[in-house]
């Protein structure tokens, strides 16, 4: 059973479109994250939710809107996509929001904006 | 400015040798540091965590050291195997309020048979 799953794995779209990426974890964790890994391979936190509540929002444009319907799901909706949004987006989860907790990452969603 | 740097983008070593990867940081005072492995097309996988009061941590063929004076962590893989080929990321806790983990860019290790 996959611990952290994301859909879709690949997403190719035109500039200006709106798209969503879904994430689900079956680990019973309280905390979930969205990371962006750009072409230079830096992995940067975007958002963190703890028990459906937003706890971290790292200076991300408000075109990005996370939604957590329950603590097992954290979806990412992106409006008006731009070329610079092309990257791999990783979802992750941890038992709690304490940073010593191991983070479990999903397989990533490669977003290409044309 | 705050920085976290991993010694080289790529490191090639012969099978059976010890691989040593470096993570240096500037203007952080982390309470702990983590190492992750990332294979192509996959998400990072946690390997080891070391706290500021620990000098060394081991797990099977892996060893991590943490020197808060030098502001450096070393990650060693002994008796390396081709299956160890991957990108290795270090990540630290900035130890300031609610700030999340900060990741280095990673070092791509290739173990040649």
């Amino acid at each position: 059973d996959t611990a952290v799953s994301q859909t879709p794995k690949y997403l190719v779209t035109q500039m200006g479109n709106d798209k969503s990426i879904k994430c689900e974890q079956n680990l019973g964790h309280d905390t979930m994250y969205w990371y962006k890994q750009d072409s230079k391979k830096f992995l940067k936190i975007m958002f963190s939710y703890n028990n459906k509540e937003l706890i971290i929002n790292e200076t991300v444009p408000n075109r990005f809107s996370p939604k957590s319907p329950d603590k097992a799901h954290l979806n990412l909706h992106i409006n008006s996509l731009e070329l610079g949004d092309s990257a791999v987006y990783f979802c992750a989860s941890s038992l709690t929001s304490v940073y010593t907790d191991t983070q479990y990452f999903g397989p990533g969603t490669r977003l290409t904006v044309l | 400015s705050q920085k976290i740097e991993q010694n080289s983008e790529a490191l090639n070593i012969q099978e059976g040798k010890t691989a040593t990867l470096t993570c240096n940081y500037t203007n952080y005072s982390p309470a702990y540091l983590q190492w992750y492995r990332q294979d192509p097309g996959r998400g990072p996988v946690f390997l080891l965590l070391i706290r500021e009061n620990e000098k060394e941590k081991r797990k099977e063929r892996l060893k991590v050291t943490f020197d808060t004076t030098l502001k450096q962590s070393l990650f060693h893989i002994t008796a390396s195997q081709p299956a160890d080929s991957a990108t290795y990321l270090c990540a630290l806790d900035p130890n300031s309020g609610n700030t999340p983990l900060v990741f280095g860019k990673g070092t791509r290790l290739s173990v040649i048979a």
Side-chain angles (χ1 to χ4, degrees):
Chain A
D1 256 354
T2 307
V4 182
S5 58
Q6 294 178 229
T7 52
K9 188 156 174 64
Y10 300 97
L11 189 49
V12 181
T13 188
Q14 299 286 335
M15 255 189 343
N17 283 351
D18 302 340
K19 289 293 175 188
S20 291
I21 308 171
K22 295 188 175 188
C23 177
E24 177 180 359
Q25 54 96 2
N26 62 5
L27 297 166
H29 288 171
D30 283 348
T31 306
M32 296 185 73
Y33 311 82
W34 276 111
Y35 285 86
K36 178 180 179 181
Q37 189 170 44
D38 60 25
S39 56
K40 293 185 178 151
K41 303 298 183 190
F42 275 111
L43 192 63
K44 205 165 174 212
I45 185 84
M46 299 173 69
F47 299 103
S48 174
Y49 270 71
N50 188 57
N51 254 319
K52 304 191 298 174
E53 299 290 325
L54 179 68
I55 54 172
I56 293 167
N57 179 344
E58 284 289 305
T59 326
V60 177
N62 57 16
R63 297 182 295 105
F64 290 78
S65 49
K67 291 252 178 353
S68 183
D70 55 62
K71 74 175 195 177
H73 295 85
L74 180 61
N75 304 322
L76 183 65
H77 188 76
I78 317 169
N79 288 327
S80 305
L81 278 154
E82 299 177 358
L83 293 175
D85 297 332
S86 295
V88 181
Y89 292 84
F90 287 100
C91 177
S93 73
S94 61
L95 187 62
T96 71
S97 59
V98 172
Y99 294 124
T100 48
D101 285 351
T102 299
Q103 294 195 19
Y104 294 82
F105 284 80
T109 296
R110 181 174 292 278
L111 171 66
T112 304
V113 182
L114 304 173
Chain B
S1 64
Q2 293 176 315
K3 278 193 298 188
I4 176 169
E5 290 178 318
Q6 295 190 238
N7 55 326
S8 52
E9 273 203 37
L11 181 66
N12 297 330
I13 64 160
Q14 210 66 35
E15 184 177 7
K17 301 287 186 191
T18 296
T20 299
L21 284 62
T22 307
C23 178
N24 295 299
Y25 57 90
T26 311
N27 293 327
Y28 285 114
S29 299
Y32 65 88
L33 201 139
Q34 301 185 14
W35 284 88
Y36 286 78
R37 169 181 173 143
Q38 187 173 20
D39 290 286
R42 311 286 288 270
V45 174
F46 171 79
L47 295 174
L48 280 165
L49 179 150
I50 187 164
R51 296 174 195 271
E52 61 178 337
N53 60 352
E54 297 174 317
K55 293 291 182 212
E56 184 179 295
K57 202 82 169 275
R58 289 177 188 259
K59 180 181 170 182
E60 297 169 357
R61 293 183 295 110
L62 308 180
K63 184 177 91 170
V64 172
T65 62
F66 191 7
D67 189 326
T68 54
T69 305
L70 290 179
K71 295 186 182 292
Q72 181 182 79
S73 175
L74 298 179
F75 177 80
H76 306 273
I77 307 175
T78 56
S80 58
Q81 304 164 1
D84 295 326
S85 299
T87 296
Y88 292 86
L89 306 168
C90 69
L92 57 79
D93 144 48
N95 200 17
S96 55
N98 214 19
T99 315
L101 277 182
V102 176
F103 281 82
K105 202 163 125 176
T107 296
R108 190 173 68 251
L109 174 69
S110 297
V111 180
I112 302 154

